[in-house]
Coordinates of all heavy atoms in Angstrom, one line a residue:
A40 N 25.2 -53.8 -34.3 CA 25.8 -52.4 -34.1 C 24.8 -51.4 -34.6 O 24.7 -50.3 -34.0 CB 27.1 -52.3 -34.8
R41 N 24.0 -51.6 -35.6 CA 23.0 -50.7 -36.1 C 21.7 -50.8 -35.3 O 21.0 -49.7 -35.2 CB 22.7 -51.0 -37.6 CG 23.8 -50.6 -38.5 CD 23.4 -50.6 -40.0 NE 22.5 -51.7 -40.3 CZ 22.8 -52.9 -40.7 NH1 24.1 -53.2 -40.9 NH2 22.0 -53.8 -41.1
T42 N 21.3 -51.9 -34.8 CA 19.9 -52.0 -34.3 C 20.0 -52.3 -32.8 O 18.9 -52.1 -32.1 CB 19.2 -53.2 -35.0 OG1 19.8 -54.4 -34.7 CG2 19.1 -52.9 -36.4
G43 N 21.0 -52.8 -32.2 CA 21.1 -53.1 -30.8 C 20.6 -54.5 -30.5 O 20.4 -54.9 -29.3
T44 N 20.4 -55.3 -31.5 CA 19.9 -56.7 -31.2 C 20.5 -57.6 -32.4 O 20.7 -57.2 -33.5 CB 18.4 -56.8 -31.3 OG1 18.0 -58.1 -30.9 CG2 17.8 -56.4 -32.5
V45 N 20.7 -58.9 -32.0 CA 21.2 -59.9 -33.0 C 20.0 -60.7 -33.5 O 20.2 -61.4 -34.5 CB 22.3 -60.8 -32.4 CG1 23.5 -60.0 -32.0 CG2 21.7 -61.5 -31.2
E46 N 18.8 -60.5 -32.9 CA 17.7 -61.3 -33.4 C 17.3 -60.8 -34.8 O 16.8 -59.6 -34.9 CB 16.5 -61.2 -32.3 CG 15.5 -62.4 -32.4 CD 14.5 -62.2 -33.6 OE1 14.0 -61.1 -33.8 OE2 14.4 -63.1 -34.3
P47 N 17.3 -61.6 -35.8 CA 17.1 -61.1 -37.2 C 15.7 -60.4 -37.4 O 15.6 -59.4 -38.1 CB 17.2 -62.4 -38.1 CG 18.0 -63.3 -37.2 CD 17.6 -63.0 -35.8
T48 N 14.6 -61.0 -36.9 CA 13.3 -60.4 -37.1 C 13.2 -59.1 -36.5 O 12.7 -58.1 -37.0 CB 12.2 -61.4 -36.6 OG1 12.4 -62.7 -37.2 CG2 10.8 -60.9 -36.9
A49 N 13.7 -59.0 -35.2 CA 13.6 -57.7 -34.5 C 14.5 -56.7 -35.2 O 14.1 -55.5 -35.3 CB 14.1 -57.9 -33.1
A50 N 15.7 -57.1 -35.6 CA 16.6 -56.2 -36.3 C 16.0 -55.6 -37.6 O 16.1 -54.5 -37.9 CB 17.9 -56.9 -36.5
A51 N 15.3 -56.5 -38.3 CA 14.7 -56.1 -39.6 C 13.6 -55.1 -39.3 O 13.4 -54.1 -40.0 CB 14.2 -57.3 -40.3
R52 N 12.8 -55.3 -38.3 CA 11.7 -54.5 -37.9 C 12.2 -53.1 -37.5 O 11.7 -52.0 -37.8 CB 10.8 -55.1 -36.8 CG 9.7 -54.2 -36.4 CD 8.7 -54.0 -37.5 NE 7.5 -53.2 -37.1 CZ 7.0 -52.2 -37.8 NH1 7.3 -52.1 -39.0 NH2 6.0 -51.5 -37.3
I53 N 13.3 -53.1 -36.7 CA 13.9 -51.8 -36.2 C 14.4 -51.0 -37.4 O 14.2 -49.8 -37.5 CB 15.1 -52.1 -35.2 CG1 14.5 -52.6 -33.9 CG2 15.9 -50.9 -35.0 CD1 15.5 -53.2 -33.0
V54 N 15.0 -51.7 -38.4 CA 15.5 -51.0 -39.6 C 14.3 -50.3 -40.3 O 14.4 -49.2 -40.7 CB 16.3 -51.9 -40.5 CG1 16.5 -51.3 -41.9 CG2 17.6 -52.3 -39.9
Q55 N 13.2 -51.1 -40.4 CA 12.0 -50.6 -41.1 C 11.4 -49.4 -40.4 O 11.0 -48.4 -41.0 CB 11.0 -51.7 -41.2 CG 9.7 -51.4 -41.9 CD 8.8 -52.7 -41.9 OE1 8.7 -53.4 -40.9 NE2 8.1 -52.9 -43.0
I56 N 11.3 -49.5 -39.1 CA 10.8 -48.4 -38.3 C 11.6 -47.2 -38.4 O 11.1 -46.1 -38.6 CB 10.6 -48.8 -36.8 CG1 9.5 -49.9 -36.7 CG2 10.3 -47.6 -36.0 CD1 9.5 -50.6 -35.3
R57 N 12.9 -47.3 -38.4 CA 13.8 -46.2 -38.5 C 13.8 -45.5 -39.8 O 13.9 -44.3 -39.9 CB 15.3 -46.7 -38.1 CG 15.5 -46.9 -36.6 CD 16.8 -47.3 -36.4 NE 17.1 -47.4 -34.9 CZ 18.1 -48.0 -34.4 NH1 19.1 -48.5 -35.2 NH2 18.3 -48.1 -33.1
E58 N 13.5 -46.3 -40.9 CA 13.3 -45.7 -42.2 C 12.2 -44.8 -42.2 O 12.2 -43.7 -42.8 CB 13.2 -46.8 -43.3 CG 14.5 -47.6 -43.5 CD 14.3 -48.7 -44.5 OE1 13.1 -49.1 -44.8 OE2 15.3 -49.4 -44.8
R59 N 11.1 -45.2 -41.5 CA 9.9 -44.3 -41.5 C 10.2 -43.1 -40.6 O 9.7 -42.0 -41.0 CB 8.7 -45.1 -40.9 CG 7.4 -44.3 -40.8 CD 7.0 -43.8 -42.2 NE 5.8 -43.0 -42.0 CZ 5.6 -41.8 -42.7 NH1 6.4 -41.4 -43.6 NH2 4.5 -41.1 -42.4
I60 N 10.9 -43.3 -39.5 CA 11.3 -42.2 -38.7 C 12.1 -41.2 -39.5 O 11.8 -40.0 -39.4 CB 12.1 -42.7 -37.4 CG1 11.1 -43.4 -36.5 CG2 12.8 -41.5 -36.7 CD1 11.8 -44.1 -35.3
D61 N 13.0 -41.6 -40.3 CA 13.9 -40.8 -41.1 C 13.0 -40.0 -42.1 O 13.2 -38.8 -42.3 CB 14.9 -41.5 -41.8 CG 16.0 -42.0 -40.9 OD1 16.1 -41.6 -39.7 OD2 16.8 -42.9 -41.3
E62 N 12.0 -40.7 -42.7 CA 11.1 -39.9 -43.6 C 10.3 -38.9 -42.9 O 10.2 -37.7 -43.4 CB 10.1 -40.9 -44.2 CG 10.7 -41.9 -45.2 CD 9.7 -43.0 -45.5 OE1 8.5 -43.0 -45.1 OE2 10.1 -43.9 -46.4
I63 N 9.8 -39.2 -41.7 CA 9.1 -38.2 -40.9 C 10.0 -37.0 -40.5 O 9.7 -35.8 -40.6 CB 8.5 -38.8 -39.6 CG1 7.4 -39.8 -40.0 CG2 8.0 -37.7 -38.6 CD1 6.9 -40.7 -38.9
D64 N 11.3 -37.3 -40.1 CA 12.2 -36.3 -39.8 C 12.5 -35.3 -41.0 O 12.5 -34.1 -40.8 CB 13.6 -36.9 -39.4 CG 13.6 -37.5 -38.0 OD1 12.6 -37.3 -37.3 OD2 14.5 -38.2 -37.7
H65 N 12.6 -35.9 -42.2 CA 12.8 -35.0 -43.4 C 11.6 -34.2 -43.6 O 11.7 -33.0 -44.0 CB 13.0 -35.9 -44.6 CG 14.4 -36.6 -44.6 ND1 15.6 -35.9 -44.6 CD2 14.7 -37.9 -44.5 CE1 16.6 -36.7 -44.5 NE2 16.1 -37.9 -44.5
A66 N 10.4 -34.7 -43.4 CA 9.1 -33.9 -43.6 C 9.1 -32.8 -42.5 O 8.7 -31.7 -42.9 CB 7.9 -34.8 -43.5
L67 N 9.4 -33.1 -41.3 CA 9.4 -32.1 -40.2 C 10.3 -31.0 -40.5 O 10.0 -29.8 -40.3 CB 9.7 -32.8 -38.9 CG 8.6 -33.6 -38.3 CD1 9.2 -34.4 -37.1 CD2 7.4 -32.8 -37.9

Side-chain angles (χ1 to χ4, degrees):
R41 285 192 323 270
T42 64
T44 183
V45 293
E46 202 284 311
T48 305
R52 180 65 181 142
I53 289 168
V54 168
Q55 183 182 39
I56 293 168
R57 286 181 176 166
E58 286 172 355
R59 181 61 184 138
I60 288 171
D61 290 345
E62 291 171 0
I63 292 168
D64 288 348
H65 291 296
L67 287 169

